[in-house]
């Protein structure tokens, strides 16, 4: 009869960095690979009993994967604002400042573009693009129909104002995302 995997109480229902819990002696590398734990990203694990949502993955990436200056963006940001539906297993969109290098990372779609401090918000501890910047990125990264539907939901939630989007799009005329690196699952 197989032995049940060991589940230290301090890790139950949590997301954690694997190397840290191994260094602390809470789990061995072998125990970390058991069915008790689910890998989310390289060296980031969750209790297998925990419901891992897209938001959970965004929070884990922001805490343990993304370097400073890199933020959740696109459909992932829109989902955190409640304006888009993203399946729990779908890759996260992240935005990297144009001068910074990051990626590829399995489970992330990495976009590079100019980004300013005014483009960044913090929501429930997660750095992400503002609703206005999210609209700009969606318009560049998604098919028109999908982008318009999400922008409409952001507007109906009063997170963006359409005349301000028009003014913002005029000020951004000529700016483009520099590159996209799709390293999705």
């Amino acid at each position: 009869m197989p032995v049940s995997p060991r589940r230290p109480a301090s890790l139950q229902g949590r997301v954690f960095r694997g190397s840290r819990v191994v260094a602390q002696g809470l789990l061995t590398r072998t125990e970390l690979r058991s069915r008790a734990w689910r890998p989310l990203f390289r060296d980031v694990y969750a209790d297998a009993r925990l419901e891992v949502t897209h938001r959970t993955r965004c929070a884990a990436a922001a805490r343990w994967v993304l370097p400073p200056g890199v933020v959740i963006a696109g459909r992932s940001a829109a989902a955190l604002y409640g304006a888009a539906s993203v399946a729990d297993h779908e890759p996260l969109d992240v935005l990297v400042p144009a001068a910074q290098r990051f990626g590829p990372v399995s489970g992330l779609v990495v976009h590079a573009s100019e980004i300013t401090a005014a483009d960044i918000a913090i929501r429930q501890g997660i750095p992400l693009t503002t609703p206005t910047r999210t609209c700009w990125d969606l318009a560049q990264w998604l098919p028109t129909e999908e982008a318009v539907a999400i922008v409409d939901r952001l507007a109906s939630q009063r997170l963006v104002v359409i005349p301000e989007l028009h003014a913002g799009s005029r000020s951004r005329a000529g700016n483009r995302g520099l590159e996209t690196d799709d390293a999705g699952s």
Side-chain angles (χ1 to χ4, degrees):
M1 191 154 130
V3 176
S4 294
R6 193 166 67 86
R7 295 177 184 270
S10 62
L11 299 177
Q12 292 180 19
R14 298 196 48 222
V15 177
F16 55 89
R17 183 170 291 288
S19 58
R20 185 167 183 218
V21 301
V22 169
Q24 293 172 334
L26 294 171
L27 294 173
T28 66
R29 283 271 167 218
T30 301
E31 290 172 325
L32 194 55
R33 289 189 297 269
S34 76
R35 69 179 187 271
W37 316 107
R38 178 186 327 180
L40 301 182
F41 300 102
R42 184 174 183 262
D43 197 32
V44 178
Y45 295 83
D47 180 342
R49 296 177 184 166
L50 179 69
E51 179 186 358
V52 177
T53 63
H54 194 75
R55 189 207 170 286
T56 304
R57 293 179 58 241
C58 287
R63 182 168 181 187
W64 289 297
V65 178
L66 304 181
V70 177
V71 298
I72 303 296
R75 289 178 64 236
S76 295
L80 293 174
Y81 287 118
S85 178
V86 181
D88 298 336
H89 67 278
E90 286 187 63
L92 313 180
D93 280 319
V94 299
L95 184 61
V96 178
Q100 189 172 337
R101 287 282 164 238
F102 174 71
V105 175
S106 182
L108 303 180
V109 177
V110 178
H111 305 272
S113 180
E114 296 300 325
I115 185 168
T116 67
D119 292 328
I120 300 172
I122 305 292
R123 189 171 179 103
Q124 299 176 335
I126 301 171
L128 70 163
T129 53
T130 62
T132 300
R133 175 58 193 251
T134 299
C135 291
W136 173 255
D137 294 333
L138 292 170
Q140 292 186 80
W141 304 342
L142 297 180
T144 303
E145 297 80 18
E146 186 177 357
V148 167
I150 296 172
V151 170
D152 280 348
R153 285 192 289 276
L154 287 165
S156 72
Q157 293 176 9
R158 301 184 195 280
L159 294 172
V160 296
V161 178
I162 298 300
E164 290 176 12
L165 287 179
H166 287 291
S169 67
R170 283 190 295 278
S171 72
R172 291 182 185 269
N175 294 353
R176 294 184 40 214
L178 299 179
E179 61 185 271
T180 300
D181 178 15
D182 186 350
S185 325

